[in-house]
Amino acid sequence: MFHMYKSIVPALAMALLLGACATVNWDYPRMPSNAFAHPETTTVGALFGEAADKHPALSGFSLVQYDENGFLARLAMIDLAEKTLDAQYYIWSSDTTGRILASRLLRAADRGVRVRILIDDNYQTEDRDFLLAGLDGHPNIEVRLFNPITNRFWRTMSFLADFGRVNHRMHNKLLVMDNAVAIVGGRNIADEYFGVQKDYNYRDMDVLTTGPIVRELSASFDMFWNSDWAIPVGAAVKELPTEKDWQAMLKRLEENISASGYPYPITENVDDLHARLVQIRDKFIWAPGHVFVEYPSRVKTGAEIGVIHRALSQRVNEVEHEILIESPYFVLPDRVIERVGQLTAKGIKVRAMTNSATNNDVIAAQAGYANTREKLLKAGVELYELRPDTDMEKRWSIVSGQSRAAMHNKFMVFDRKSVFIGSFNLDPRSSTLNTEIGVMIDSPEIASQAAKIMDEGVLPGSAYHVTLDSDGRLVWTDETNGEKVQYTTEPGTNVWDRFLLGFVGMLPIEDQL
């Protein structure tokens, strides 16, 4: 055994050396570019522009709650684009959903659409690198990686060796078409974000928008795209494909897709897609809106309270009656919990919904939240945790009724008058480490729609209501088959699960959660 360790140690040392010494080619050739300047000259730009002209200085908004609508909205945007498509995502998977949308981007590029794709490098794998490199091989597509890992062969060791830099991730999720319409929110590009994974799916939400706010969203994309931290994929993937390679890749993508049995329509013609956008346009709610985005320079500025945290804090200070919060990772520092207690003491209702121990996909975040749960309840928070077998899942997508549910919604409603929707979690990582994006919509109608989503989500058949009993012990209450059920330990967990949560909760990693 001792000899085995003697052989492992030098190998680890070499791995660390490789990770530390290999350098990203930050000087790799790249040209700055910007959003399309004349959206009104495109078909969709004119379509939405007609409505925008009737609502000066306002933007149009439509909540995208259900997974099928989230997928079809993106598909329509890609298939109807005439000039540009800008995609910015934390994750773009190489699964069925990722391949479908990638193949449609290739088709758009074939039509002459300029496509810019910016992906965070944290979850990149060899398969995903191949997918992105294949896209980048098209003359009308350019792919960049944000804040890439230095050494892709020794990813973990390289991450540890350069932790101070690569610990800052780009968590943004944004798609902009022709600088005329955009979709922003919580969904990454992967099966589980669109309700088509058979074992695990997210409750999530985006907002589709048009009008002046799209120009703000495009400006945020340009800021990231032209930053020092956005590196062409060719700087990391050394052998980029030729035209022959990506044409073959497109053929393989579409062959695999046709055999996949995808549950949503992916073969609609242009007229059908255009009709879908007309329906969306006619249902838009017009209201003031503003984009809040963290700067890409956060990579080097260290752990500082960011733009979004400050904007949300300002809104909290203005609240008179009620704050509603949905966040999959919900880890508030003591000073914020103290502030919440001051609000509830004044009679302001604070209701929060997050994941339960059985459906949170990040154990460290769940452990951090568990450490604060009693403090939250004592501060007067009305607290709920989504059940993995929630009654709502059957309405999310065609296959979600067969799967375990988890929450990925990220929104806050203020006095049912305004709502913030985006990629921002209520945790230290979003507040001080990641870049994030979101929109603040000052519309009682949109805010009421978001509040209704939460009102449904906290029903006994969908969530556990977490409270303290007369002895100060945690109690989880739900409803099963019409009967009230109470638990004194975290529902669905066993002794080992609770030990692991407790152990992780003792680690000094609060600022990384």
Side-chain angles (χ1 to χ4, degrees):
M1 182 66 72
F2 178 73
H3 292 293
M4 182 182 72
Y5 284 124
K6 285 181 67 177
S7 64
I8 289 175
V9 170
L12 290 175
M14 180 59 70
L16 283 168
L17 183 62
L18 286 170
C21 295
T23 57
V24 172
N25 183 7
W26 300 100
D27 296 324
Y28 192 91
R30 50 185 155 164
M31 292 291 294
S33 59
N34 294 288
F36 179 58
H38 300 288
E40 72 283 354
T41 63
T42 66
T43 301
V44 173
L47 175 72
F48 286 104
E50 292 174 8
D53 289 343
K54 298 175 183 178
H55 304 87
L58 302 181
S59 295
F61 299 97
S62 177
L63 294 187
V64 184
Q65 178 187 6
Y66 297 114
D67 295 325
E68 179 176 4
N69 294 338
F71 173 79
L72 293 177
R74 288 167 172 83
L75 194 70
M77 290 169 65
I78 294 172
D79 284 356
L80 292 175
E82 294 177 358
K83 294 296 183 180
T84 59
L85 285 163
D86 293 329
Q88 181 180 12
Y89 284 95
Y90 181 52
I91 297 171
W92 192 301
S93 178
S94 56
D95 60 14
T96 304
T97 299
R99 294 198 309 271
I100 290 172
L101 294 179
S103 70
R104 294 311 242 274
L105 288 175
L106 280 168
R107 290 299 185 194
D110 281 344
R111 300 194 307 269
V113 176
R114 183 197 72 183
V115 180
R116 298 186 294 177
I117 305 172
L118 180 59
I119 304 294
D120 186 82
D121 193 47
N122 193 43
Y123 279 95
Q124 282 303 110
T125 63
E126 185 175 347
D127 286 346
R128 293 176 182 179
D129 278 350
F130 174 78
L131 180 69
L132 294 180
L135 292 170
D136 191 80
H138 194 291
N140 288 331
I141 300 179
E142 187 176 358
V143 180
R144 295 184 181 181
L145 299 173
F146 186 81
N147 198 22
I149 303 296
T150 300
N151 189 298
R152 307 185 76 72
F153 185 77
W154 297 99
R155 288 189 67 91
T156 301
M157 296 304 175
S158 184
F159 184 93
L160 294 174
D162 200 9
F163 183 78
R165 173 179 67 87
V166 297
N167 188 39
H168 298 269
R169 304 316 322 168
M170 184 191 75
H171 198 237
N172 310 40
K173 291 103 174 171
L174 172 66
L175 178 65
V176 185
M177 167 201 180
D178 288 343
N179 201 12
V181 60
I183 190 165
V184 60
R187 288 183 175 96
N188 291 296
I189 305 301
D191 284 347
E192 60 267 31
Y193 297 94
F194 297 93
V196 296
Q197 188 165 284
K198 291 186 177 180
D199 60 345
Y200 188 79
N201 286 288
Y202 287 117
R203 162 189 168 94
D204 217 330
M205 187 164 68
D206 302 308
V207 60
L208 188 71
T209 186
T210 191
I213 201 167
V214 177
R215 262 56 84 194
E216 290 186 46
L217 291 167
S218 286
S220 79
F221 181 92
D222 288 346
M223 176 175 65
F224 277 82
W225 182 260
N226 295 313
S227 74
D228 292 339
W229 310 103
I231 306 303
V233 69
V237 181
K238 301 305 180 185
E239 296 183 8
L240 293 176
T242 63
E243 179 176 347
K244 181 179 178 181
D245 292 332
W246 58 256
Q247 288 287 4
M249 174 185 169
L250 176 59
K251 182 179 179 180
R252 287 196 301 273
L253 284 173
E254 297 189 340
E255 285 175 349
N256 289 337
I257 291 164
S258 64
S260 68
Y262 202 72
Y264 307 140
I266 58 175
T267 57
E268 291 181 292
N269 60 42
V270 170
D271 289 340
D272 290 339
L273 292 171
H274 188 272
R276 186 189 300 278
L277 285 186
V278 170
Q279 292 176 345
I280 291 171
R281 178 201 63 182
D282 293 343
K283 293 180 180 178
F284 266 134
I285 294 167
W286 294 85
H290 183 61
V291 175
F292 291 100
V293 60
E294 304 297 347
Y295 298 109
S297 58
R298 172 169 272 196
V299 171
K300 63 179 181 180
T301 55
E304 298 177 357
I305 296 298
V307 172
I308 295 176
H309 182 102
R310 291 195 296 271
L312 295 179
S313 296
Q314 179 61 40
R315 285 297 173 119
V316 167
N317 291 336
E318 298 168 358
V319 165
E320 297 178 348
H321 305 291
E322 178 187 62
I323 302 172
L324 305 178
I325 301 165
E326 285 206 24
S327 180
Y329 315 121
F330 187 52
V331 187
L332 300 185
D334 287 346
R335 57 182 173 76
V336 176
I337 296 176
E338 182 180 352
R339 175 64 178 136
V340 169
Q342 293 170 357
L343 295 173
T344 59
K346 294 193 300 183
I348 294 173
K349 174 182 175 179
V350 179
R351 179 200 283 172
M353 182 175 174
T354 189
N355 280 307
S356 64
T358 51
N359 58 13
N360 196 322
D361 60 343
V362 180
I363 188 173
Q366 181 65 26
Y369 156 68
N371 284 345
T372 68
R373 195 160 34 199
E374 290 187 27
K375 297 176 185 177
L376 290 167
L377 293 170
K378 290 177 180 177
V381 175
E382 186 182 318
L383 189 60
Y384 295 86
E385 296 176 3
L386 185 73
R387 287 171 46 165
D389 58 343
T390 171
D391 287 348
M392 294 188 68
E393 66 181 347
K394 296 177 179 60
R395 289 184 285 159
W396 298 351
S397 76
I398 195 167
V399 299
S400 59
Q402 309 166 19
S403 70
R404 180 165 57 100
M407 196 179 80
H408 205 252
N409 280 354
K410 309 163 197 296
F411 66 83
M412 293 181 68
V413 181
F414 305 92
D415 284 337
R416 304 202 180 207
K417 294 180 180 178
S418 60
V419 59
F420 179 81
I421 302 170
S423 66
F424 186 87
N425 293 304
L426 270 290
D427 63 12
R429 175 158 288 278
S430 283
S431 293
T432 62
L433 293 173
N434 291 344
T435 71
E436 307 281 357
I437 191 169
V439 293
M440 185 73 75
I441 307 168
D442 294 315
S443 163
E445 190 171 354
I446 291 283
S448 294
Q449 290 178 5
K452 182 180 178 181
I453 290 170
M454 185 180 208
D455 289 342
E456 294 176 345
V458 301
L459 292 174
S462 295
Y464 305 110
H465 186 192
V466 188
T467 57
L468 294 173
D469 66 13
S470 57
D471 295 321
R473 294 174 298 191
L474 288 166
V475 177
W476 288 259
T477 303
D478 74 349
E479 188 176 287
T480 302
N481 298 324
E483 295 186 5
K484 181 179 177 180
V485 180
Q486 289 192 325
Y487 308 85
T488 55
T489 57
E490 303 208 46
T493 64
N494 55 38
V495 173
W496 169 250
D497 294 330
R498 294 190 289 275
F499 168 79
L500 193 58
L501 277 170
F503 175 76
V504 174
M506 292 188 295
L507 301 176
I509 55 173
E510 292 86 355
D511 59 344
Q512 298 296 317
L513 301 178

